[in-house]
């Protein structure tokens, strides 16, 4: 992926992109931005996209491309896709056709709203069938499509009920059914799970994963929940203040964050950050933190040399699960346990070290006893150089990131 700067959208949002289904993101962050107008091929579109460059899905699905210009608040991107980009300066392509001047009703787009937007006086069957009736479709075809959508979403038994007799999850399925029954080229989903409780969100997230495998539609899914982005998305677009920060697969974004913002956004608990020093001795890079020195592996050495990284102050990032309790004596960092949280399979430790709060995740299988982690007890730890993330102290960019 390419690192760079995107075009403004004026609000923090998170997004994800992918081909056969929905994807997710999170508010206020995102991946790499492309400044050369290059294409990003995805397997599903999931996000509020805003930035220079072109986004295009790949595979047998309808082609959906968005080359955004400037937009208003985050939600405006969905509006731009559905209604027009005349005032935004961007271009929207669906199936290879420029849609900027195409009337919304002719764009073949459906939308699922956060608040369901069901007609309370209609049955589930009538709600799902409504957009087909507006198209004056044959009744037999309408019935066939409604039954098919209901079967896919497992709501056949509720077809003759009114929305008030349904749970939140069932109502959201009806809203999705009303959208997919039209067999649109693009399905816009605006935080569809945010009104559900945690258990139901997990259930519906699994249902969406199944759904995207069953229907031939490009999804554009907006979410502020990074779990949805990571689990639903083939590609994620992370944005901050309306600028694209990074575009990539969930694993790419997790393993290779483009900058400090992305690194801090993706991953729970959040990545630990330290003021450290990058040193270059005998042609080898190493990180020095609070007197501890960790030499970086060859892969990182090569990337830093290719980028001409200079020795000096940096921001070091290490994820809680990548801190370890054993290592060479010269690489150990000294701290004090503030809080010990037993989570079952792991212990979460809050440690005062290097002038800041450090979070560590230690699997219980690696411990003889958790009783050693009492409040106020000393603790020594270090990190594997391969798991370290190095950021420029001023630009906040990842020093390993290769700009092309």
């Amino acid at each position: 992926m390419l690192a760079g700067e995107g075009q403004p959208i004026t609000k923090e949002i998170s997004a994800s992109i992918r081909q056969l289904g929905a994807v997710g993101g999170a508010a206020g962050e995102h991946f790499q931005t492309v400044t050369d107008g290059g294409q990003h091929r995805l397997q599903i579109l999931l996000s509020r996209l805003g930035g220079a460059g072109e986004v295009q899905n790949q595979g047998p699905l309808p082609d959906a491309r968005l080359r955004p210009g400037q937009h208003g608040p985050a939600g405006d991107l969905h509006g731009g896709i559905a209604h027009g980009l005349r005032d935004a300066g961007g271009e929207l392509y669906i199936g290879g056709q420029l849609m900027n001047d195409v009337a919304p009703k002719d764009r073949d787009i459906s939308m699922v709203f956060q608040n369901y937007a069901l007609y309370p006086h209609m049955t589930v069957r009538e709600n799902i069938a409504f957009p087909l009736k507006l198209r004056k479709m044959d009744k037999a075809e309408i019935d066939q499509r409604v039954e098919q959508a209901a079967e896919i979403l497992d709501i056949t038994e509720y077809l003759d009920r009114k929305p008030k007799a349904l749970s939140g999850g069932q109502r959201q399925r009806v809203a999705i059914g009303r959208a997919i029954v039209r067999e649109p080229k693009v399905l816009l989903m605006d935080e569809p799970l945010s009104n559900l409780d945690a258990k139901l969100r997990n259930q519906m997230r699994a249902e969406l994963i199944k759904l995207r495998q069953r229907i031939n539609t490009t999804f554009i899914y907006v979410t502020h929940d990074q779990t949805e982005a990571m689990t639903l998305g083939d590609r994620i677009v992370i944005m901050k203040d309306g600028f694209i920060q990074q575009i990539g697969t969930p694993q790419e974004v997790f393993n290779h964050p483009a900058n400090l913002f992305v690194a801090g956004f993706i991953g729970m608990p959040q990545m630990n950050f330290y003021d450290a020093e990058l040193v270059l001795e005998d042609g080898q890079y190493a990180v020095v933190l609070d007197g501890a020195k960790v030499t970086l592996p060859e892969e990182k050495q090569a990337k830093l040399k290719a980028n001409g990284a200079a020795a000096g102050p940096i921001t070091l990032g290490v994820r809680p699960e990548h801190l370890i309790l054993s290592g060479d004596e010269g690489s150990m960092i000294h701290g004090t346990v503030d809080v010990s949280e037993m989570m079952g399979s792991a212990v979460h430790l809050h440690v005062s070290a290097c002038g800041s709060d450090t979070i560590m995740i230690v699997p219980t299988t690696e411990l003889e006893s958790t009783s050693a982690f009492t409040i106020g007890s000393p603790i020594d730890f270090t990190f594997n150089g391969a798991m370290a993330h190095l950021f420029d102290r001023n630009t906040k960019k990842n020093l390993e990131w290769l700009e092309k």
Side-chain angles (χ1 to χ4, degrees):
M1 301 303 298
L2 304 178
E5 297 176 353
Q7 297 295 324
I9 281 199
T10 76
K11 184 178 180 181
E12 294 186 354
I13 40 181
S14 88
S16 301
I17 302 179
R18 148 171 208 145
Q19 177 184 3
L20 272 177
V23 185
E29 35 284 338
H30 303 7
F31 295 30
Q32 290 168 231
T33 161
V34 179
T35 58
D36 61 356
Q39 293 185 355
H40 292 298
R41 298 185 179 278
L42 339 157
Q43 257 188 327
I44 273 189
L45 240 82
L46 157 204
S47 113
R48 291 172 175 165
L49 190 55
E54 203 171 23
V55 177
Q56 177 174 340
N57 78 311
Q58 65 180 9
L61 299 182
D63 175 51
R65 288 188 297 154
L66 175 64
R67 185 166 66 235
Q70 294 187 1
H71 299 277
D76 287 358
L77 186 63
H78 262 180
I81 294 173
H83 305 301
L85 296 171
R86 293 185 183 86
D87 299 327
E91 294 178 346
L92 170 68
Y93 293 82
I94 300 177
Q97 180 182 358
L98 181 64
M99 289 290 166
N100 290 43
D101 297 318
V102 176
K105 66 182 180 64
D106 297 325
R107 292 189 176 192
D108 202 5
I109 292 174
S110 289
M111 187 161 184
V112 177
F113 299 93
Q114 178 178 346
N115 61 354
Y116 318 142
L118 300 177
Y119 297 106
H121 63 289
M122 294 184 181
T123 64
V124 169
R125 185 186 303 275
E126 291 168 337
N127 267 282
I128 296 176
F130 187 71
L132 303 182
K133 290 181 178 178
L134 290 180
R135 292 186 169 190
K136 303 186 185 305
M137 189 174 288
D138 178 73
K139 185 178 185 305
E141 176 69 10
I142 291 177
D143 291 342
Q144 187 268 332
R145 289 199 185 189
V146 170
E147 292 289 344
Q148 183 180 34
E151 181 180 354
I152 290 175
L153 295 166
D154 195 24
I155 54 174
T156 302
E157 61 185 294
Y158 309 121
L159 284 176
D160 296 320
R161 297 187 186 182
K162 297 286 183 65
K164 65 180 180 181
L166 305 178
S167 66
Q170 291 164 348
R171 292 180 190 181
Q172 192 58 279
R173 292 186 191 188
V174 175
I176 294 173
R178 184 178 58 190
I180 68 174
V181 76
R182 289 180 48 202
E183 300 179 358
K185 291 180 179 177
V186 180
L187 177 58
L188 308 181
M189 305 188 81
D190 189 358
E191 301 186 56
L193 309 184
S194 60
N195 284 346
L196 307 179
D197 59 43
K199 181 178 180 181
L200 198 48
R201 274 201 308 272
N202 291 338
Q203 178 184 341
M204 283 302 299
R205 189 168 66 241
E207 293 299 325
L208 287 175
I209 292 173
K210 296 176 185 177
L211 174 64
R212 70 166 190 240
Q213 304 298 334
R214 301 182 66 177
I215 64 175
N216 188 33
T217 296
T218 295
F219 285 55
I220 300 180
Y221 187 110
V222 177
T223 177
H224 289 76
D225 185 330
Q226 69 160 296
T227 300
E228 291 179 19
M230 295 292 284
T231 57
L232 293 173
D234 289 325
R235 298 283 246 184
I236 302 176
V237 176
I238 297 184
M239 305 174 74
K240 178 186 179 185
D241 298 331
F243 288 87
I244 292 179
Q245 303 295 304
Q246 188 170 351
I247 300 175
T249 67
Q251 200 63 51
E252 287 172 348
V253 175
F254 183 85
N255 292 339
H256 308 292
N259 56 43
L260 200 65
F261 178 81
V262 175
F265 171 69
I266 295 295
M268 288 294 290
Q270 186 183 54
M271 183 182 290
N272 298 298
F273 296 110
Y274 308 97
D275 290 335
E277 192 83 12
L278 180 65
V279 298
L280 181 59
E281 299 176 350
D282 299 326
Q284 293 291 301
Y285 286 102
V287 174
V288 176
L289 173 62
D290 199 29
K293 182 178 178 180
V294 176
T295 301
L296 301 174
E298 287 305 315
E299 182 180 0
K300 288 186 180 291
Q301 298 278 351
K303 290 181 178 179
L304 292 172
K305 290 175 182 176
N307 277 347
I314 61 168
T315 298
L316 168 68
V318 185
R319 297 196 183 279
E321 58 270 30
H322 294 155
L323 291 172
I324 53 180
L325 297 176
S326 61
D328 297 334
E329 182 176 350
S331 68
M332 300 305 289
I333 302 165
H334 310 292
T336 303
V337 176
D338 289 336
V339 176
S340 176
E341 301 174 312
M342 169 52 68
M343 307 299 288
S345 61
V347 178
H348 289 203
L349 300 176
H350 293 254
V351 176
S352 291
C354 308
S356 63
D357 180 48
T358 292
I359 299 178
M360 300 176 59
I361 298 179
V362 184
T364 54
T365 54
E366 298 180 6
L367 303 173
E368 294 182 2
S369 171
T370 60
S371 60
F373 300 125
T374 58
I375 295 177
S377 63
I379 185 172
D380 295 335
F381 64 94
T382 187
F383 58 92
N384 186 323
M387 298 292 103
H389 302 273
L390 315 178
F391 303 96
D392 185 283
R393 189 79 64 84
N394 297 316
T395 66
K396 315 299 183 185
K397 291 183 179 180
N398 192 326
L399 294 175
E400 299 175 56
W401 204 264
L402 300 178
E403 298 192 11
K404 299 180 181 178

